[in-house]
Amino acid sequence: VGESQRHEFQAETTQLLNIVAKTLYSEKEVFIREVISNASDALEKLQYQFMTGKDVAENELPLEIHIATDQEKGTLTVKDHGIGMTRDELLDNLGTIARSGSKAFLDELSEIGQGDAREKSIIGQFGVGFYSSFMVADRVDVYTRSFSPGSKGFMWTSDGSGSFEIAEAENVSRGTKVVMHLKEDYKNFSIKTTVEDTIKKYSNFVGFPIYLDGTCINTIQPLWMLDPKDISTEEHEEFYQFIGKTYDKPRYTLHYKTDAPLNIRSIFYIPETLPQLFTVQHMEHGVSLYSRKVLIQSKAHKVLPNWLRFVKGVVDSEDIPLNLSRELLQDSALINKLSDVLSARIVKFLQQQQKKDRVKYEKFFKDCGTFFREGIVSTNSDEMKQEIAKLLLFESSHEKAGVLSSLPVYTSRMKPTQKNIYYLCAPSREVAETSPYYEALKKDDVEVLFTYNEQDDITLHYLSKFEGKSIMAAENYFSVDREVKSAESVEETQADQSSDSLTEEEAKELVDWMSIILGKQKVSLVKVSKHLSQTSHPVMVTVADMVAAKHWLKVMRAE
Ligand code: ADP
Ligand code: MG
């Protein structure tokens, strides 16, 4: 093997610019987010200079972002009075693709042990965002002057095809002004309303005032970053209406902040009005994902499990690794973790609400219970199933009609001898109470939960256990549990000897006749049972797997 030589990769700048500008971002409109984020970073860095007592040129200039549209010229201009750039910085930061002056700034701070506080607010890190302006502009002019007193103003200009020019410029104030000359196809970004919508979508919560053609447009604060105690009900309502694009009020509000196991700043709202049942299946997710107050994904469908799609809100996490274009979430394990943490917190919150205001909760359960049922059926985690199960409410044989009981309440009332949890699915309370399946349980003084919709039936079937106790359909009590018992006790009780009962011979005749009439396809066995001698029902149908059977019947009926 000969001596090896080291080579640097060569980059075809024109190509690279093309990749960044044309293929990195899926939505053209995000260039506005990128340029505003840079302005915000520049203001953030200037604030740091103030804080550390540095001399700042033109220190009376406000820390604001000004955006101007000019439809006639077809331009969009974004101006800040932030830190600005010297000639060298211009060369470095805007002349090197994938070099981030912001990242370098943060690295410097963390070297001197000051990183943490600022780090939370600086948005840039990849050094490509600026070039997204070339998706929509065929020329970009940057006017800039550094904050350090005595600095000169410069103008940088490029058509994004591989080269740029820098010249000294007169009358440039501290900070940076980016003028984008829009391509023919993207002149709509010089229309005020288009720009306003885009800013509100992505950059509404940026930490500095944003003025569009002279009017401040980001008047709503990023509430999720504040201390929960500092937020009034009215502020929550306004914020909820803003993010939910709605006019109702939140019925529940959960403001959740934590630093472990992940950094999370979040607010969740449960709306007063929910979509009609038939649209529930196709309901969009209501939570948006932010990172450092900049929108990453609206209607983010991975941040909460599907069954929680009725929850609206905002989740901001610095720990979610973003890719270059910010739009894709890279680490799915981390997103899953985020989703687990958040859903556990929301479920716990709802459990607390059940205790806190029962009347309100029952109304909520009536409106949203179907989502919990979906949660139990769809979630893989047994632990989570158990937690969601605590949110369910049922009528019970122990209580009057209209009174609802939860599973924990049911189990607390179980006698030591009772092994299983029983429920009976029927069209109404009346039918349930006169059901032969119920009669047996009633006789043995075993509490039964009454459910009146088929969803409950499937849900409990999926849940299968609660607090370690099996959940059984009442039908099973008769066919399985009683059978076991009967071996010990029922046999001993003398069959009713009254005159209207059948003789053994008559009974055999009846059984034979019924077996023939019904046939093997309908029943597997007809037999005389002594169990019924204790109830008021002459005949009963039992099925090994009642839930499956009922479903099968339903499917057949639908066909
Ligand atoms: P990033 O923001 O990820 O660092 P960008 O491509 O958006 O990457 O910007 C590159 C660099 O250019 C920034 O890190 C910053 O140093 C500099 N820059 C861009 N816009 C401004 C501005 N408005 N004021 C000062 N510096 C800026
Ligand atoms: Mg940037």
Side-chain angles (χ1 to χ4, degrees):
V1 182
E3 200 179 303
S4 79
Q5 282 182 321
R6 192 185 173 85
H7 293 275
E8 299 280 323
F9 283 109
Q10 302 293 305
E12 204 58 68
T13 325
T14 323
Q15 291 277 21
L16 211 51
L17 256 175
N18 260 327
I19 292 170
V20 171
K22 305 230 168 78
T23 57
L24 192 56
Y25 298 91
S26 52
E27 306 282 346
K28 301 280 182 248
E29 63 189 17
V30 299
F31 81 94
I32 295 185
R33 169 190 77 186
E34 294 303 323
V35 178
I36 291 178
S37 296
N38 286 348
S40 170
D41 284 351
L43 290 164
E44 199 69 49
K45 291 175 207 164
L46 186 79
Q47 244 175 8
Y48 179 77
Q49 307 305 329
F50 270 128
M51 264 174 42
T52 49
K54 297 266 171 53
D55 277 344
V56 169
E58 298 177 89
N59 66 10
E60 73 290 350
L61 289 174
L63 300 188
E64 296 167 348
I65 299 168
H66 287 263
I67 298 169
T69 55
D70 189 329
Q71 234 179 310
E72 234 160 78
K73 290 193 190 134
T75 59
L76 178 65
T77 302
V78 176
K79 183 172 87 175
D80 65 71
H81 292 307
I83 196 164
M85 284 176 272
T86 62
R87 190 175 189 281
D88 284 350
E89 285 166 341
L90 256 183
L91 262 172
D92 271 358
N93 299 335
L94 300 189
T96 317
I97 296 172
R99 184 190 138 88
S100 169
S102 295
K103 176 96 177 16
F105 175 80
L106 284 177
D107 291 347
E108 244 168 69
L109 288 195
S110 60
E111 253 167 51
I112 55 167
Q114 295 228 16
D116 267 17
R118 283 290 130 181
E119 199 174 337
K120 306 229 178 291
S121 310
I122 297 275
I123 304 158
Q125 51 177 324
F126 294 118
V128 294
F130 170 77
Y131 304 102
S132 66
S133 55
F134 290 110
M135 292 191 294
V136 296
D138 45 26
R139 202 178 92 221
V140 178
D141 303 330
V142 178
Y143 299 84
T144 188
R145 193 154 79 85
S146 166
F147 78 100
S148 60
S151 295
K152 287 187 178 135
F154 293 95
M155 181 202 178
W156 177 104
T157 183
S158 174
D159 62 3
S161 66
S163 64
F164 60 87
E165 284 164 38
I166 296 181
E168 243 185 78
E170 295 297 314
N171 300 323
V172 179
S173 54
R174 185 198 77 217
T176 303
K177 180 169 89 175
V178 180
V179 185
M180 291 161 277
H181 302 265
L182 299 163
K183 293 177 187 171
E184 208 43 55
D185 287 353
Y186 298 108
K187 291 274 197 252
N188 57 322
F189 289 116
S190 64
I191 301 169
K192 188 182 173 188
T193 50
T194 313
V195 176
E196 182 168 348
D197 289 347
T198 313
I199 298 172
K200 285 197 164 157
K201 180 169 172 194
Y202 292 98
S203 308
N204 202 62
F205 300 109
V206 159
F208 298 94
I210 300 175
Y211 288 82
L212 176 61
D213 295 337
T215 323
C216 185
I217 57 167
N218 59 337
T219 51
I220 295 180
Q221 287 207 73
L223 289 198
W224 66 91
M225 296 304 236
L226 308 182
D227 191 329
K229 353 185 250 310
D230 296 341
I231 308 172
S232 68
T233 313
E234 290 71 34
E235 280 174 303
H236 270 304
E237 277 171 19
E238 186 193 11
F239 185 67
Y240 163 74
Q241 290 171 353
F242 176 81
I243 60 160
K245 298 187 181 66
T246 170
Y247 295 102
D248 66 339
K249 289 177 180 179
R251 73 167 92 192
Y252 287 127
T253 299
L254 166 62
H255 190 166
Y256 175 51
K257 297 172 86 169
T258 185
D259 289 316
L262 282 170
N263 164 288
I264 297 171
R265 303 284 177 267
S266 63
I267 294 188
F268 300 106
Y269 298 106
I270 292 174
E272 197 63 68
T273 43
L274 284 152
Q276 295 296 310
L277 257 187
F278 54 85
T279 58
V280 152
Q281 275 310 322
H282 310 285
M283 195 176 167
E284 283 178 318
H285 283 250
V287 169
S288 300
L289 179 65
Y290 285 74
S291 181
R292 296 168 192 206
K293 298 188 256 183
V294 176
L295 181 76
I296 302 304
Q297 224 180 41
S298 57
K299 297 167 192 156
H301 58 283
K302 295 235 169 80
V303 172
L304 287 182
N306 211 22
W307 70 272
L308 281 173
R309 63 192 177 282
F310 64 98
V311 177
K312 293 198 188 299
V314 166
V315 174
D316 194 317
S317 175
E318 297 162 5
D319 290 344
I320 295 299
L322 304 173
N323 78 348
L324 275 187
S325 61
R326 295 173 214 267
E327 283 137 85
L328 288 170
L329 304 174
Q330 275 178 317
D331 190 333
S332 60
L334 250 155
I335 299 288
N336 290 344
K337 176 147 201 169
L338 180 70
S339 167
D340 288 349
V341 171
L342 292 176
S343 46
R345 184 64 190 90
I346 292 173
V347 168
K348 188 171 141 209
F349 169 79
L350 293 174
Q351 288 170 357
Q352 290 162 343
Q353 300 312 306
Q354 187 182 155
K355 299 216 168 74
K356 207 167 141 194
D357 183 343
R358 183 59 182 234
V359 176
K360 183 175 173 184
Y361 180 82
E362 285 191 9
K363 165 91 176 63
F364 163 65
F365 179 73
K366 218 176 123 234
D367 295 344
C368 291
T370 174
F371 291 103
F372 303 157
R373 296 182 191 109
E374 184 184 328
I376 289 173
V377 173
S378 63
T379 189
N380 287 326
S381 146
D382 274 337
E383 226 172 292
M384 191 60 175
K385 271 195 215 304
Q386 294 290 310
E387 293 305 317
I388 306 172
K390 293 178 188 164
L391 299 173
L392 301 174
L393 296 175
F394 307 92
E395 279 201 11
S396 155
S397 62
H398 190 86
E399 305 274 11
K400 286 201 288 288
V403 178
L404 300 179
S405 304
S406 64
L407 284 167
V409 165
Y410 178 100
T411 52
S412 73
R413 291 195 290 238
M414 278 170 79
K415 298 207 188 73
T417 50
Q418 186 185 338
K419 290 206 184 63
N420 304 320
I421 297 168
Y422 291 98
Y423 71 96
L424 179 61
C425 185
S428 70
R429 175 126 188 161
E430 214 192 339
V431 174
E433 280 182 339
T434 53
S435 156
Y437 304 115
Y438 170 56
E439 200 169 354
L441 285 138
K442 188 180 176 189
K443 204 152 210 136
D444 294 350
D445 196 22
V446 175
E447 178 176 355
V448 186
L449 296 171
F450 294 142
T451 70
Y452 309 119
N453 77 48
E454 287 141 342
Q455 282 180 355
D456 269 327
D457 210 9
I458 314 171
T459 307
L460 291 169
H461 185 64
Y462 266 89
L463 186 60
S464 82
K465 271 186 186 324
F466 185 74
E467 289 179 4
K469 300 178 176 72
S470 293
I471 299 175
M472 296 264 184
E475 293 88 337
N476 287 62
Y477 183 71
F478 207 88
S479 61
V480 183
D481 301 10
R482 268 234 153 176
E483 214 71 71
V484 177
K485 261 196 176 177
S486 67
E488 305 150 7
S489 59
V490 182
E491 288 300 344
E492 282 149 33
T493 56
Q494 282 296 309
D496 193 344
Q497 295 296 330
S498 61
S499 58
D500 55 354
S501 72
L502 302 178
T503 64
E504 224 168 278
E505 221 162 282
E506 285 169 330
K508 188 177 175 306
E509 223 171 280
L510 180 64
V511 165
D512 289 346
W513 178 79
M514 283 177 99
S515 305
I516 292 164
I517 290 291
L518 294 169
K520 274 283 168 226
Q521 281 189 321
K522 292 203 176 109
V523 295
S524 60
L525 181 70
V526 179
K527 65 171 188 179
V528 178
S529 168
K530 291 198 176 96
H531 312 156
L532 285 173
S533 63
Q534 294 186 329
T535 77
S536 58
H537 297 272
V539 175
M540 185 188 282
V541 179
T542 63
V543 181
D545 188 345
M546 206 61 198
V547 176
K550 274 192 258 175
H551 274 281
W552 195 66
L553 284 174
K554 219 179 106 198
V555 170
M556 296 221 310
R557 248 180 272 137
E559 272 171 1

